[in-house]
Every structure is written in C-alpha cells, then in structure tokens.
Amino acid sequence: MSNSRTGRPPVQRLTRRPPLPRPPRENPVRRLHTRARKAWDRPLTAYYLILGGSLLITVLGLVMVYSASQITALQKSLPGTFFFRKQFLAAAIGTVLLLLASRMPVKLHRALAYPILAGCVFLMALVQVPGIGQSINGNQNWIAIGGSFQIQPSEFGKLALVLWGADLLARKEDKRLLTQWKHMLVPLVPVAFMLLGLIMLGGDMGTAIILTAILFGLLWLAGAPTRMFVGVLSIAGLIGFVLIRTSENRMARLACIGATEPRSGGIDCWQAVHGIYALASGGIFGSGLGASVEKWGQLPEAHTDFIFAVTGEELGLAGTLSVLALFAALGYAGIRVAGRTEDPFVRYAAGGVTTWITAQAVINIGAVLGLLPIAGVPLPLFSYGGSALLPTMFAIGLLIAFARDEPAARAALAMRQPRFGRKRGGGPSGRPGRWNTMRRRASVARTSGER
C-alpha cells in the first residue's frame, strides 16, 4: 500500500540544477574600442574620410567666408555677398576638378606632371614682368585675368611639385637609383629651389615654407638617410634665417609670437592680438553665426588668413575643435593611403599632398593661436581665395582616386549595389524577381571588414 494518506503515490520533486555561470559582461569601453578599430580597418574608410572630410571643410568654409567677409565687402562699397559669390564659384569649379582628378587613371596623372610644372614655372616667371604681375600686401605674386579675378601661380606650384616630384622619384625607384644620394637629390632639390627662388622674388615666404615642407616630405618618403636629410634641412634653415633676419617685417612677425598687447615693445602686433581676442571671446559654443565683433574692422584679413579666429568667435571651442578633427581625419586618411599602396607614384603623391595640406593647416592655425609667426598662408579648403582652393581640391581628387584604387577598396566598391534598382528577371517558377539589394550578397564570401 502507498504510504500517502490519500492513497496517491507521492509527488516526485524535481531537483534544481545549479544555475549556469553567466558569461562575463564585456567592458563597454573595450567594446566601443573594438567597434571603432573594426571601422578604421575597413577598406573604404580612407575613401569616406577624404570625401566626407573635404566636403564638410569646404561647405563650412563657404559659410564662414560669407559670415566673415560681409563687413569687409560693405566697407569697400561692394555687395555683402561679393566675396562669398567668388568663393562659391571657385568651389564649383574646384568640384569639377576634384571629380575629374578622382576619375583619371594614374598614368594620366603622371603624364600631366611635366606640363603642369612647365606651366607653373612660366606663370611664376611672368609674375615678375612689370605691367603683368600685381602686388598685394607687399607680395608680388599675382596676375590679373580680367575684372576682379586674379590668379596666384605659386599656389599651383605646390601641386606641380607634388606631381612632378612623385613621378620623378617613382621612375628612379623602378630603376633602383634611389640608393645613390645624387639620384635622390638631383634634379628634385634644384627644381624645388628654383620654384622657391621664383616665389621669394615676390616676397611670399609663407608659400615658400609650404613648398619646403613638401620637398622634405618627398625626401622622407624616398628614404633619404639622416645625414642627407639633416644637410638639406640645415641649408634650408640657413637660407630662411638670412631671409628673416634681413627683413624688418618678418622680424616683427617673429616678435609677435605670444604677444598679448597690440603694441608689444614698439612692434605692431595688432592682427595677432586681435586674433587671440576673437578666440577668447567665443567661449564653448560661440556668440552665434554672424555675431562676430572682431570682423567689424578690428581683425585684418578676417575672411582669409584669420578666418579660423572668426570661426572660434562665432562657433566657439566646439566649432574650432570640429575643424581640427576634420583636418586630423583628412591627414590620417592620406597617411593610410600612402602607407597601404604598392605603387611608388601613389605613395609619393599621396604623401606629398598630405604633407602639403597638413603643414599649411598647422602653420595657419598656429599663427592664429599665437604659437607661430604669421606666415600669410590660407587655411586649406576653408579660407577665401580661389587660387588656393582650386589646386587643393584637385589634390583632394588625387587622394580620392588613390583611395579608390586600393585592391581591397576596389573589391568593396565592386560588391556594393544600389538599394533600389532594376528588378531581376523572374525565376523558373514565374515569380517576380526580387529587388537588387545588398542582401542577396550576404552568402558571398568576403574579406573581413568589407561592407
């Protein structure tokens, strides 16, 4: 008989199993770092950074040129949108150049190196001809092309040196001649010094500094030994010291580094100090777009060399840090393109363009912050000036073309399909075809990181 009082068999109680150990929670910081690292390692990261970063810098530059140039235009009895319209036209032309450069094959870029160099040398020599060259702010580096439009050939000299120098070093590397110091220096350094001499005849030392930075960047990428690098740097430094020492204007600019008063030791530091005033009055988020006080005649060259100061006053620390982040992303992408390619021309050209844009941005922003002497160079893609904008946008097109030409990037672009497109033909069952989306490629083997 059952021992239960009700006559029913006793209920068998289930024994509890021990709980399974929970997997350890992943650190959110580490998870975020892992995701960011995967995003950086994707084949199209450099392509998106160059395209998106340059577009954002150009658009923000147009907005700031419009804001910073209105008062200057009205003071000269011009329409308030005068400088903005010219900059917008230059940006439109530059966009066409960017698209052409991004679609041109590498062989065509190399074929254009010598014609561009010859044209720049001719125009830079033409600047010194009386009646043709024009002087602005003490520098004779301009040629009038009709109406209010002018061209500065020395700005195109940067692009010429990058293309020609990259083609020269690439051909010598193919022939294994760069192990000899004479082949590394000749004719690259003499031609670069010729361009520097033509620029310095007009008194534009700022552009000469950028050209020198491009030369050193090409030599460094070519693997110049330390002794040779230090030798060329010493010669350039000695020439620069003599040029600065023999010019009162350049000595005054050097003395204004870190100045806090418009008259510092009898030297006029008005522009440098008022640039600091503009940045200091901006605060975290700025006074608002169009609300700058310094652009009302207090800050010279508010829409050109010192547009970064107006940006800090109107958009604050958040705006200036955004601009710095965009330039940092652009520089990283250029270094990545130069480091991952196997084509020597692409490596030298991408490295030269990255050195050009990065060095020019550092010199301009450093001068506005009072950390470097005022060199009179514009902020790339941002400041007013069509002569500076056009070759820079063509150079950005070069970087985009090189980023697209990477093997992994080509494969990733080939796998991309539009979300909406033509329908595929029906199958044997007569059912309508599916839309041609990226989902149909989910089963295709792909390298890690490709989208």
Side-chain angles (χ1 to χ4, degrees):
M1 294 181 63
S2 174
N3 294 331
S4 174
R5 293 181 180 179
T6 59
R8 297 178 181 178
V11 178
Q12 299 291 333
R13 294 184 179 181
L14 298 176
T15 58
R16 292 185 177 181
R17 296 181 180 180
L20 296 176
R22 295 182 178 180
R25 296 183 64 182
E26 187 179 359
N27 188 349
V29 177
R30 180 176 298 178
R31 183 169 64 250
L32 181 62
H33 176 266
T34 303
R35 290 182 179 179
R37 191 171 182 178
K38 288 182 179 179
W40 285 113
D41 289 339
R42 288 172 179 168
L44 294 176
T45 296
Y47 170 74
Y48 287 133
L49 283 179
I50 296 170
L51 182 61
S54 59
L55 179 62
L56 289 175
I57 294 173
T58 305
V59 172
L60 183 58
L62 287 172
V63 174
M64 293 311 304
V65 165
Y66 176 69
S67 176
S69 65
Q70 286 181 328
I71 306 304
T72 304
L74 294 175
Q75 288 175 345
K76 296 181 178 181
S77 300
L78 297 170
T81 59
F82 176 78
F83 294 105
F84 169 75
R85 285 181 294 173
K86 291 183 63 176
Q87 186 73 357
F88 185 82
L89 177 61
I93 299 174
T95 302
V96 175
L97 294 177
L98 184 148
L99 294 175
L100 288 176
S102 64
R103 294 295 179 176
M104 288 166 53
V106 174
K107 291 183 179 180
L108 185 55
H109 285 301
R110 299 186 68 168
L112 291 175
Y114 280 86
I116 292 178
L117 177 66
C120 287
V121 171
F122 174 75
L123 291 177
M124 290 167 67
L126 201 63
V127 167
Q128 307 305 322
V129 177
I132 298 179
Q134 291 189 345
S135 177
I136 298 179
N137 295 331
N139 295 337
Q140 186 166 345
N141 285 304
W142 301 83
I143 296 177
I145 58 177
S148 60
F149 293 94
Q150 298 166 329
I151 187 173
Q152 188 176 3
S154 57
E155 291 290 342
F156 293 87
K158 305 170 187 177
L159 177 63
L161 181 60
V162 168
L163 287 177
W164 177 81
D167 178 69
L168 175 70
L169 293 175
R171 286 189 288 107
K172 290 195 173 188
E173 182 174 331
D174 291 338
K175 298 179 181 179
R176 299 182 180 181
L177 297 176
L178 292 181
T179 55
Q180 306 177 32
W181 68 268
K182 61 179 181 180
H183 283 288
M184 185 174 292
L185 295 180
V186 180
L188 177 62
V189 174
V191 171
F193 274 66
M194 177 188 66
L195 294 175
L196 291 172
L198 291 173
I199 293 173
M200 289 307 301
L201 284 176
D204 188 3
M205 191 167 184
T207 304
I209 293 175
I210 306 300
L211 218 67
T212 305
I214 295 173
L215 173 62
F216 287 144
L218 291 174
L219 289 176
W220 183 78
L221 289 169
T226 305
R227 291 180 299 174
M228 181 187 302
F229 206 82
V230 172
V232 177
L233 183 61
S234 300
I235 295 175
L238 179 61
I239 295 174
F241 174 78
V242 172
L243 292 174
I244 294 175
R245 192 68 180 176
T246 55
S247 173
E248 295 183 1
N249 183 31
R250 297 185 185 118
M251 288 297 296
R253 293 185 179 188
L254 195 64
C256 289
I257 297 179
T260 56
E261 296 294 334
R263 298 289 298 181
S264 178
I267 299 175
D268 186 8
C269 297
W270 181 275
Q271 186 179 27
V273 172
H274 277 272
I276 299 296
Y277 289 169
L279 290 172
S281 61
I284 301 297
F285 298 105
S287 58
L289 192 63
S292 170
V293 175
E294 291 293 332
K295 69 182 181 182
W296 287 76
Q298 299 295 322
L299 180 63
E301 308 296 336
H303 61 297
T304 55
D305 301 343
F306 271 69
I307 194 171
F308 188 76
V310 179
T311 303
E313 185 179 5
E314 295 188 349
L315 303 182
L317 181 64
T320 54
L321 289 181
S322 299
V323 174
L324 290 176
L326 289 173
F327 276 109
L330 199 59
Y332 165 81
I335 294 174
R336 172 170 166 161
V337 171
R340 292 195 174 191
T341 183
E342 297 180 358
D343 189 337
F345 173 79
V346 173
R347 181 171 67 253
Y348 294 130
V353 170
T354 305
T355 303
W356 161 15
I357 295 177
T358 304
Q360 188 164 326
V362 168
I363 291 173
N364 177 276
I365 295 174
V368 174
L369 295 176
L371 303 176
L372 296 173
I374 300 174
V377 295
L379 190 58
L381 301 172
F382 203 84
S383 296
Y384 169 80
S387 294
L389 184 62
L390 294 180
T392 306
M393 294 193 75
F394 188 91
I396 293 296
L398 281 176
L399 290 180
I400 293 175
F402 299 156
R404 290 171 56 94
D405 200 48
E406 291 183 10
R410 286 202 306 266
L413 287 173
M415 295 176 64
R416 288 177 56 190
Q417 294 291 336
R419 288 186 178 274
F420 302 100
R422 296 179 302 177
K423 291 183 179 181
R424 298 181 357 183
S429 61
R431 291 181 299 177
R434 295 176 298 172
W435 286 96
N436 194 13
T437 64
M438 294 178 64
R439 293 182 180 272
R440 67 185 180 85
R441 294 186 176 269
S443 60
V444 180
R446 61 184 70 177
T447 59
S448 66
E450 291 184 2
R451 315 178 45 171

